Amino acid sequence: MLCYYDIQIVRRNLASYVDIIWIYCPALLLSFSLVLFKQTKLGPKSGPTEKGLSSFCVHIVSLLVRGLSSLSDVASGLKYLQGKRQNKPEMCCVHNVQVNRTGYVELTIFPTVVNLNRIKLNSKQCRIYRVRVNELEAPFIYNDPTLEVCHHESKQRNLNYFSSAYTAAVSAVDPDAGHGELVIKVPPELWKQGDDLKVLKVYIEFSLDQPKGGLHFVVPDVEGSMAERGAHVFSFGYQNSTRFWFPCVDSYSELCTWKLEFTVDASMVAVSCGDLVETIYTHDMRKKTYHYVLPIPTAAPNISLAVGPFEILVDPYMHEVTHFCLPQLLPLLKHSMSYLHEIFEFYEEILTCRYPYSCFKTVFVDEAYVQLSSYASMSIFSTNLLHSATIIDQTPLTRRCLAQALAQQFFDLKQADEWVLKGISGYIYGLYLKKTFGVNEYRHWIKEELDKIVEYELKMGGVLLHPTFTGGKEKDNPTPHLHFSIKHPHTLSWEYFKMFQCKAHLVMRLIENRISMEFMLQVFNKLLSLASTASSQKYQSHMWSQMLLSTHAFLKSISNVSGKDIGPLIKQWVDQSSVVKFFGSFAFNRKRNVLELEIRQDYTSSGTQKYVGPIKVTVQELDGSFNHTLQIEENSLKHDIPCHSKSRRNKKKKIPLMNGEEVDMDLSAMDADSPLLWIRIDPDMSILRKVEFEQADFMWQYQLRYERDVVAQEEAISALEKFPTPASRLALTDILEQEQCFYKVRMQACFCLAKIANSMVSTWQGPPAMKSLFTRMFCCKSCPNIVKTNNFISFQSYFLQKTMPVAMALLRDVHNLCPKDVLNFILDLIKYNDNRKNKFSDNYYRADLIEALTNSLTPAISISNEVRTVDNLNADVRLILEEITRFLNMEKLLPSFRNTITVRCLSAIRQLQRNGHIPSDASLFKSYAEYGHFVDVRVAALEALVDYTRVERSSAELQWLLNMVQNDPAHYVRHKILGMLSKNPPFTKTTDSALCNEALVDQLWKLMNSGTSHDWRLRCDAVNLYYTLFGLTRPSCLPLPELGLVLNLKEKKAVLNPTIKPELEVGPVVDTPASIGIHGVGMCYAFNTMEDEDIDMETVHDSQAFIHQHLHLLERPSTPGTHTHTSACMHARTHAHHLVTHTPVLFVLLGKEPPSVEQSLLSMPATPVPSFSKETSSLASKHAGEHGHHHHHHHHEHKKKKKKHKHKHKHKHKHESKDKEKDRERDNSHAYSNSPASGRSLRSPSMSD
Amino acid sequence: IGDPSLLRSLNGNTVLISGKAATSPAENYHLARRRTLQVVVSALLTECGFESAEKAAVETLTEMMQSYITEIGRCAKAYCEHTARSVPTLADTVVTLIEMGFNADTLPVYAKRSQRMVITAPPVTNAPVTPKALSAGQKRTHPAYIPSHFPEFPDPHTYIKTPTFREPVSDYQVVREKAASQKRDVERALTRFMAKTGETQSLFKDDITAFPLIAAQPSSIPYLSALLPSELELQTLEETDSSEQDDQTDSENAAGNLINDDPGGDKENSMLPPSGVPSAKASEENVIDNPYLRPVKKPKVRRKK
C-alpha cells in the first residue's frame, strides 16, 4: 500500500501565546509530505510477534503536507537542545528507500515563521531522517519523554511519584504550552528572513515502521491479495494522538487547513478528512492517489485516515454522505445506514444550522479502538455495529452510536474547553433520543447517567469539569483524591473520562432547565454560525479563534441570549467537583395540616459537596399534585409545606395527577389521617444528586402504580425492595401486566419481584413469582406449559419475554435453591423455542435463556475436597450442562449474530465452575480468548479468566493475561483486560495474596513505565490497575527498608543487605556507605545504564533549568550544523565533567531517589523504620512537585549540576565500548528496552553520531 | 379375418390406449395383439409385391393402421351409445366406415380376394383382468323407491367420504412436542457427530467424552460469521416472509411492516423510500455526483516530488 499525503496546514497562533508574538506572526505556510512504505521483504526487525504488520506490505512512499501556518516560537527560556545531532547530508531520500526496500514514512514541512529560531512539533514513533527549512538542512532534536516515564530503577515503586513524573512528561511535550517532541532549529541564515516575516518552509522526512499506536493494521491471515483478505488500516487514538502517525502540532487549539494525498494500492480506497478532489493513478497504474482538501480550519487531532478494500455506498437520501464497509458487509451497511438522514435532518433542524462540512463519511472497520470516533467530516465506527434487519437488540444501539457520532460532528471537533463540547454534543444527542425513542426513554437515560455519575463520584471522588491550574503546585491540585492528574487528557483514566463526558451533558441539561431549551438552541446556533463565519475567512488566522469554544465564550453567549445569570450553577457543577447527597424524611402534622419535610445533606464524605439553593418537591395529595420550591440553606433542615387537601376520604372521587389525568385509586391502604399519597424530591433531576427518601411502603406502592413519570416508577421499584409484603408484590405484578407502562420499568419490576419473593419465601402463596404471568402472556392457551412460537413484532413484550425468565431464575426456595419447577419451566422454554415463523432473529432471546440457566445455579454442596467428576454431577446441573453444551456446539455450526450464544455459554460455564459443579479449569477460556475469535467472545472468555485468576489466585493465568496485554494485536482487548482486572482484581491493596510479589510489581511498573508508551489509554489503564492492586504508596509486598542498609549505586538507592535480598541484580553494591570515592565510581556505572535505556536527555521535564542553560550554550553558534552542535555539546560536557569531578557528593544527594540516598548518608545509626518511610514519601512527593516549577532555589541549582553529571557520563559512555557491552546485556534483561520506540530511537540514523 | 375379430381387436386397442394401468399379463396381451397387427401389415406389403421393408416403415404403417382401426372402433362405439346401446352392432360399424369415406361395399370382395394370405390367429392369451376396484366401507343398498335392477351404489368413499383408520395428529401440544424433540434430536446428533469427528474440549478431566465441546477454532476474519446471518437463517426468513401474508392477519400493523420489510426490498434496496422514487433513484445511480464514484484519472506527466 502506498500512501501519499499532501496536507495543507494553516495554523493559528495559540491564544496562550503572548500578544506581541501574535502580532508579529502572520500566517505561515506549513506543508507536509508523507510517504508510507510497505515492507514487502520482511526485514529481520519484523519479528514474529508483529505478525500482522510484517506480512502486510505497507509501502508508504511519499507524503506531502503543505499549508499556511502561523507557527510561532515560544521565545521564553524554556527551549532546550540535547546533544544528539540528527542531520546527515547523505540521508537517504525517497528513491534510496525504495531501492533498499526498507519501510519508511516521509514527511515534509514548509512553514513560514516569524522571529522564530526553533520550531517544536509533536511526533511519536516516527523516525526522522532529515529536516530542511527553506531547502537548508536544519538540525533537530527528537526526544520523547513519555517513552519511559521514570528513567531509573526505582525500587520504591511509588505511584504518587509515577503520576507526577508522567504528568510532567506529558507537560514537557504539551503542544498547548508550545512544547513538542521534535525541536527543529531554524538555520541561522534564515533568522534574518524570519525577522522580516517571510515564509519559512519546513520539510521533514520521516518513516514510520511497524507503528504500535496511531495507525492500526488489520491483516487477516488468509490466502489472497490484500484486498481479498479485507486488510485495512485506520488511525486511532485517545484524545489528541495524531503525533503517532505524522509530525504535527498535536493540539485541538491549533487550527489549519489541509491538503492530503494518499497513494494506495489500486484495489484499496483511502478515506480521509475533507473533500475528495480527485483520484489519479500512478504511472505504473498499479496504485492510485487520493487527493483531499479540507478548507475548513481543523486541528491535527481531528485528522484521520482509513484505507482498505472498502465497499462504497452513497447514501440514497444525501449524496454528500458516503458509507464504507469491509467486503461482504454491504447489505448490512445498507440496512444500518438507512435512517442516518433522519438524524442529520433532526440536528440541522434543531440547530437551524447546516452540517459544518461539505461531506460526511462513515467508515466501519474491524478491531476498532472505540465503538465510534469522530474526526473532521468523517467518523470511524466498529464494524460490529452493523446488523441485518432481523436483529432487534442491536438496532437501537447502533442508532444511538450514529446519533452520537453525528452530534460530535457538529460540536465535538472544535475544541477548547472540553466539557463545553462534550456537554453540547451529549446534550443534543439527548434531544435526539427524546425525539426518536420517546420521553420515557430519554428520562430513563438521564436517570441512568445520573446514577452512574453519582455512583462514580461517591466511590472515586469528584469529577471536575473545568479545572483551573493556577500555580501548578502540588497543593493546588484540584483533584488530590485521584491517583492520576487531570491536567492532561493523556493522563486521565478511561473511566474518569467517560464520567467526565457523562457529567458534561448532565450539566448542559441543568443549564437548559435554567434558561429553557429554546434559548439553549439559540446559543448553539449562535456559536455554530460564528464558527462557520470565522472558518470562511481565508488566512486571517486570528479570526479562527472564534471557532474555538471556551467556557467563557459559551457563558457569555448564554447571558447574551437568555439574559440570565447562570454563574452559580456553573460554579457549583463546573468549577467544583462532586455531587450532592440528600437524605429526606417527613412527618405530617395533622393539626396544622402541614407536611414537615426534613432534608439533610452529607457533604463530608468523599465525592460530595454542599448544595445551597432551590430544590423542587412534588407532593401528591388527594386533591392533586402540587409542586413546591424550597430553598436549601445553610442551617435549615426542616421545611413546612402546607397541604391543600382536607382529609376527606369518604367521598368517592377521582384523584387528579400531575399530568391532568384523573384516576380512581383504592385508598384503603393509606394512612387515614394524612392526605399524602407520595412525595418526590427533585423530580426533574435538576441537581446532580443522590436522594435517599423515606416514606411508607404504601406510598411507594402508590407512586409506582399511579405516578406517570418513569423515573418515579423506577425509584419506587428500587425502594420497594425493602418492603417484601404482599402489597408490594401486588403492585409490582400489576405494573408487569400493564401494557402502557414503559417496558424498562416493567423489566426492572421483574427483578424487584424476584427479590421480594425471595424475602417472602416462607409466606409466599401460589406458583413461583411471574410464572403464571409469563404463562398467560406468552404461552399457548391450550397447553400452558408450551410457549407460543416466537413472534417478536411487539418489541415491548419481546423485551419482557426475554427478561422474565432471567429474573425468575433468581428465585430461591427455603433451602436457597432455585425451585425445581422454575428450572423445568426454563428448560421447557428452551425446548419449545420455535423461531421458524419469526421474522426476527431470536439469538438474544436464546442468550437470555442461557443466562436464566446461569442464574438458577447455586453453590454445590461439596464434601470436603471432593474432585468434581461426571458421576457425581447433580441431576439438575446435568440438564443445564446438557443444554449449554448443545448451544455451544450448535453455535459452531450456525453462528448467531455477534456470537451472543457463545458469550453467554462461556459465562455460564464459568458460573458452573465457580459454584463447584464442574472442575475449575481455565484452558477452555484461554482457547476462546485467543486472537481470531469474535471480539465479544474474547472479552467474555477473558472475563471468565479474570474471575478464575481471582478465585484460584493463579499466577500463571495472571501472567497469561498480562502477556496478552502486552502482545495482543487488538488494542480494544488489551484495554479491556486491564479494565476487567481493575474491576475484578486478583487482590487489592488491603488484602494479602500470594500473587502480590515483587516480580509482579516490577512487571506492572514496567508496563506502565515504558511498555505502554504507544497508547495513552492503555497506560492509564495500567496505572489504574496498579492503583487497585497496590495503592498510591510503596506496594506492601516490597521488602521494607531496614537496618543494614547498603547503598547500591547502580540503582542509585539504598537497599537491604544483599544477603537479605539475594535477587537483587549484581552491581557495585558498596558495602561501606557514604564513601565519597566509591561514590564517584558507582555513579559512572549507573549513568551508563541509564543513558542506554533512555536515548535522549532523561526527564526533560524535571530539568527545565538545565535545558535553559544548555540552550544558552547552543544559542549563539556562528555556523550551522554539525560543528556547532558538537562543539556546543562538547562544551557542555566538559563543563559538566568539571562539575562532576568537583562535586560528586552533591550529586548523590540529588539523585533520583533522594530519600534513599539520604538514608544512606544520614541514617547510619539505626533509624526506626516507620519514621523513615514517612520521610521517604514526603520527600518523594516534594521532589515530584518540583518538576514543573522551581520554587526552591537550591533545588534548582542542584538539578543543573546533576544534569551535567549525566552528560559527562554519557560522553564517557560513548567511548567505552566495554561498558556498552555490559549495558546491552542489561538491556536484554530489561523487558521493554527492545520496544520499537526506544529501540529505534537508539539506533535510528539520526541518532548515530 | 371376420368383422367380429376385427371388432375385438378394436376393443383391445381401445383398452390398450385407455388402460394405461396395464399390469404385466395385460401388457403381454396387448403386445401379442400388436404383433398380429404387424404381421398383417407385413402380409399386406407382401401382397402388394414388396420383398422387404425397413422396420421403421413397417412400424409406421402399423401405427397408421392401428389408429385407423381405433378410430373406427371409437366412432362405432359413439354411434352405438348414441342409440342407447352398450355394444356396437354391424350397422354401427358400417355407418362409421361410410362416415370415414370408405366404401363398405368393397369390403366383402376385398375380403375374399384370391391372393390374400392367411394369418394365424393370435396366440390365446388371457385377457387382462381388470383389477377390482378398492372397496371401502359398506355399499349402500337401494332405497325402496329404486328398483332392484338398477346398478348398485358405488362405494361410499367415491361420493361421501373416505374413512381413514388413523387420526392425523392434530393436537397442538403433540405437534409442538414432536417438532421440539425432533429438532433437538437432530441437533444433538449433528453436534455429537461433529464432536466425534473433530477436535474437542472437555469440561471434565476424568471423563473427556462426557459433554464434549467442539473445539474453538480461531478464524481469520471472525466478524464475517458473527455479523452475517447464516444461510439457513436467511432461508427460513424468506420462507417466513412468503407465508406471512396469511399468518399476520391478526396483527394490526402487519400491513405497514409488510411493505417496509418486503423480503426483496430487504435485500436490494431497503433504504430506498417506499414511494416511487427508488426505481428512479436506482437508474440515476450514475448521475449521483459523489467523488468516490468518479472514475480514477490517468496520471499526468507532471510529477510532484
Side-chain angles (χ1 to χ4, degrees), chain A residues 585-589 594-598 676:
Chain A
S585 58
F586 76 98
F588 178 68
N589 188 325
V594 152
L595 164 66
E596 295 169 355
L597 191 67
E598 182 181 326
L676 300 173

Side-chain angles (χ1 to χ4, degrees), chain A residues 254-275:
Chain A
E254 288 287 303
L255 305 179
C256 54
T257 57
W258 298 76
K259 204 178 148 215
L260 303 130
E261 291 178 13
F262 305 95
T263 303
V264 299
D265 209 79
S267 57
M268 298 277 174
V269 181
V271 188
S272 185
C273 302
D275 302 313

Side-chain angles (χ1 to χ4, degrees), chain A residues 787-788 790 792 828-835 842 845-846 849, chain B residues 176 180 183:
Chain A
V787 67
K788 284 184 199 156
N790 295 341
F792 298 155
D828 271 355
L829 287 183
I830 293 173
K831 183 176 164 193
Y832 292 116
N833 179 43
D834 184 350
N835 206 48
D842 66 342
Y845 174 60
R846 279 183 293 151
L849 291 178
Chain B
R176 287 294 300 275
K183 186 172 164 227

Side-chain angles (χ1 to χ4, degrees), chain B residues 20-288:
Chain B
K20 265 291 170 216
T23 53
S24 174
E27 234 160 41
N28 283 343
Y29 176 83
H30 297 306
L31 280 175
R33 293 282 160 135
R34 169 104 177 173
R35 215 174 298 125
T36 310
L37 207 54
Q38 222 159 11
V39 172
V40 168
V41 168
S42 309
L44 286 174
L45 285 174
T46 319
E47 235 178 81
C48 297
F50 290 95
E51 286 187 347
S52 68
E54 274 179 30
K55 195 166 186 233
V58 174
E59 197 62 32
T60 309
L61 288 170
T62 313
E63 198 67 33
M64 286 167 70
M65 175 173 275
Q66 183 175 334
S67 63
Y68 188 78
I69 294 173
T70 310
E71 183 58 21
I72 295 172
R74 195 191 61 75
C75 277
K77 176 94 175 151
Y79 279 117
C80 109
E81 284 177 354
H82 186 66
T83 46
R85 283 174 284 112
S86 59
V87 179
T89 58
L90 179 65
D92 291 330
T93 315
V94 171
V95 172
T96 303
L97 287 173
I98 292 165
E99 185 70 10
M100 288 171 76
F102 182 80
N103 188 354
D105 296 339
T106 59
L107 199 58
V109 181
Y110 181 73
K112 289 176 183 147
R113 69 193 185 275
S114 55
Q115 67 273 46
R116 73 190 154 100
M117 296 178 77
V118 179
I119 293 155
T120 50
V124 182
T125 48
N126 296 335
V129 197
T130 357
K132 242 191 125 193
L134 169 80
S135 74
Q138 217 54 29
K139 274 186 189 172
R140 281 224 211 159
T141 49
H142 286 161
Y145 53 84
I146 298 182
S148 60
H149 63 273
F150 275 88
E152 288 181 329
F153 275 114
D155 280 348
H157 78 268
T158 57
Y159 64 104
I160 302 176
K161 65 180 175 187
T162 310
T164 53
F165 297 103
R166 218 182 331 156
E167 282 284 317
V169 196
S170 62
D171 183 19
Y172 186 77
Q173 183 170 357
V174 180
V175 173
R176 287 294 300 275
E177 178 84 49
K178 203 164 186 181
S181 54
Q182 207 164 30
K183 186 172 164 227
R184 169 167 304 223
D185 289 347
V186 168
E187 286 185 6
R188 190 174 297 153
L190 187 59
T191 51
R192 286 263 162 89
F193 173 73
M194 295 300 289
K196 280 218 171 106
T197 49
E199 260 185 72
T200 54
Q201 287 161 323
S202 175
L203 296 170
F204 292 91
K205 293 207 176 62
D206 59 329
D207 182 1
I208 52 166
T209 53
F211 304 107
L213 297 172
I214 302 173
Q217 296 289 350
S219 91
S220 36
I221 310 185
Y223 61 85
L224 280 185
S225 67
L227 296 180
L228 288 171
S230 65
E231 272 171 43
L232 191 84
E233 235 173 293
L234 276 181
Q235 211 178 337
T236 51
L237 189 71
E238 272 159 33
E239 279 169 18
T240 317
D241 279 351
S242 57
S243 66
E244 219 159 31
Q245 257 92 350
D246 38 10
D247 269 2
Q248 287 194 340
T249 41
D250 51 341
S251 73
E252 53 284 304
N253 48 0
N257 283 331
L258 222 60
I259 291 166
N260 289 335
D261 302 318
D262 179 62
D266 267 349
K267 276 195 172 154
E268 292 307 316
N269 41 15
S270 62
M271 87 298 296
L272 293 175
S275 62
V277 191
S279 52
K281 275 256 169 70
S283 64
E284 276 171 19
E285 190 78 347
N286 37 10
V287 185
I288 295 175

Side-chain angles (χ1 to χ4, degrees), chain A residues 670-828:
Chain A
M670 70 186 289
D671 183 358
D673 295 332
S674 117
L676 300 173
L677 282 164
W678 65 84
I679 299 163
R680 296 181 62 203
I681 294 187
D682 186 27
D684 297 331
M685 298 178 284
S686 49
I687 301 171
L688 302 185
R689 84 299 188 265
K690 179 190 175 77
V691 179
E692 284 174 20
F693 188 67
E694 288 171 22
Q695 59 181 358
D697 58 342
F698 67 84
M699 297 176 81
W700 289 119
Q701 287 150 14
Y702 282 126
Q703 179 171 336
L704 174 60
R705 282 170 193 266
Y706 300 110
E707 173 62 62
R708 297 299 182 227
D709 179 12
V710 291
V711 175
Q713 291 171 350
E714 284 169 13
E715 281 167 359
I717 288 175
S718 31
L720 280 179
E721 279 175 19
K722 290 185 230 88
F723 301 100
T725 59
S728 300
R729 175 187 172 182
L730 193 63
L732 287 166
T733 322
D734 286 351
I735 276 291
L736 266 181
E737 278 186 287
Q738 203 179 329
E739 299 256 329
Q740 293 91 340
C741 186
F742 184 49
Y743 74 100
K744 284 188 177 167
V745 172
R746 293 164 82 191
M747 285 159 75
Q748 199 190 333
C750 292
F751 291 99
C752 182
L753 195 55
K755 278 185 193 153
I756 287 187
N758 288 344
S759 312
M760 299 169 62
V761 64
S762 50
T763 56
W764 187 267
Q765 305 281 314
M770 290 173 279
K771 184 163 180 258
S772 53
L773 205 60
F774 189 95
T775 310
R776 205 176 326 138
M777 292 165 89
F778 303 110
C779 290
C780 303
K781 300 278 176 292
S782 57
C783 33
N785 63 327
I786 295 180
V787 67
K788 284 184 199 156
T789 57
N790 295 341
N791 183 3
F792 298 155
I793 286 283
S794 157
F795 293 159
Q796 284 92 333
S797 44
Y798 161 70
F799 281 108
L800 207 59
Q801 186 178 0
K802 266 180 16 154
T803 310
M804 271 209 228
V806 180
M808 274 170 76
L810 292 169
L811 294 174
R812 296 290 178 265
D813 61 13
V814 277
H815 310 292
N816 204 25
L817 297 171
C818 184
K820 184 81 183 154
D821 45 350
V822 169
L823 180 63
N824 287 339
F825 181 71
I826 295 167
L827 288 170
D828 271 355

Side-chain angles (χ1 to χ4, degrees), chain A residues 201-234:
Chain A
K201 290 180 176 177
V202 177
Y203 168 94
I204 301 176
E205 250 178 45
F206 75 94
S207 79
L208 187 66
D209 44 29
Q210 307 204 350
K212 292 180 83 184
L215 288 179
H216 184 56
F217 292 82
V218 182
V219 189
D221 188 17
V222 281
E223 291 289 302
S225 70
M226 280 297 157
E228 285 157 7
R229 291 155 71 174
H232 55 286
V233 56
F234 58 94

Side-chain angles (χ1 to χ4, degrees), chain A residues 307-530:
Chain A
V307 180
F310 296 122
E311 301 203 27
I312 299 171
L313 171 71
V314 177
D315 196 287
Y317 295 92
M318 303 169 292
H319 295 172
E320 311 85 347
V321 178
T322 321
H323 313 295
F324 300 88
C325 69
L326 293 166
Q328 301 183 49
L329 299 179
L330 193 61
L332 302 187
L333 184 73
K334 278 181 178 168
H335 176 75
S336 310
M337 291 298 111
S338 53
Y339 46 79
L340 186 75
H341 64 282
E342 291 174 17
I343 309 175
F344 253 107
E345 280 161 21
F346 176 77
Y347 287 143
E348 291 193 347
E349 199 174 306
I350 61 160
L351 298 170
T352 51
C353 181
R354 284 199 62 80
Y355 174 66
Y357 301 98
S358 56
C359 63
F360 179 57
K361 287 143 284 186
T362 62
V363 189
F364 290 82
V365 296
D366 189 24
E367 295 181 14
Y369 187 70
V370 282
Q371 279 215 319
L372 65 105
S373 44
S374 296
Y375 302 96
S377 82
M378 76 182 277
S379 291
I380 296 180
F381 296 93
S382 160
T383 194
N384 303 335
L385 290 174
L386 296 176
H387 60 87
S388 70
T390 56
I391 306 299
I392 298 176
D393 299 47
Q394 184 63 42
T395 309
L397 300 180
T398 302
R399 290 188 186 195
R400 280 166 167 235
C401 275
L402 286 176
Q404 228 167 341
L406 216 49
Q408 289 172 4
Q409 285 290 324
F410 279 90
F411 269 104
D412 224 17
L413 302 170
K414 296 175 285 292
Q415 187 123 358
D417 276 327
E418 204 180 0
W419 81 269
V420 178
L421 293 160
K422 297 279 181 231
I424 298 179
S425 61
Y427 170 76
I428 59 172
Y429 162 66
L431 294 183
Y432 172 78
L433 279 191
K434 199 195 285 188
K435 183 231 164 195
T436 311
F437 296 97
V439 176
N440 284 347
E441 180 74 41
Y442 174 72
R443 287 187 65 86
H444 173 80
W445 176 66
I446 292 289
K447 178 177 189 291
E448 231 173 34
E449 297 279 291
L450 183 61
D451 288 350
K452 251 196 264 177
I453 186 78
V454 164
E455 191 197 354
Y456 182 83
E457 294 206 42
L458 292 181
K459 190 170 133 232
M460 301 293 296
V463 172
L464 189 53
L465 287 184
H466 190 225
T468 44
F469 300 92
T470 45
K473 294 183 180 120
E474 188 73 12
K475 61 176 189 278
D476 295 334
N477 181 2
T479 50
H481 53 275
L482 296 171
H483 57 277
F484 47 86
S485 159
I486 60 165
K487 195 170 176 183
H488 299 283
H490 299 154
T491 58
L492 286 189
S493 98
W494 180 248
E495 277 286 293
Y496 183 90
F497 178 62
K498 281 201 296 193
M499 286 304 131
F500 178 89
Q501 286 175 302
C502 166
K503 189 166 184 177
H505 83 77
L506 286 174
V507 168
M508 220 35 92
R509 191 179 152 273
L510 298 190
I511 297 176
E512 180 222 74
N513 279 352
R514 187 67 58 85
I515 68 168
S516 88
M517 186 168 112
E518 196 187 334
F519 280 140
M520 198 75 174
L521 294 177
Q522 274 180 31
V523 170
F524 297 161
N525 175 262
K526 202 172 158 188
L527 296 173
L528 280 179
S529 39
L530 268 179

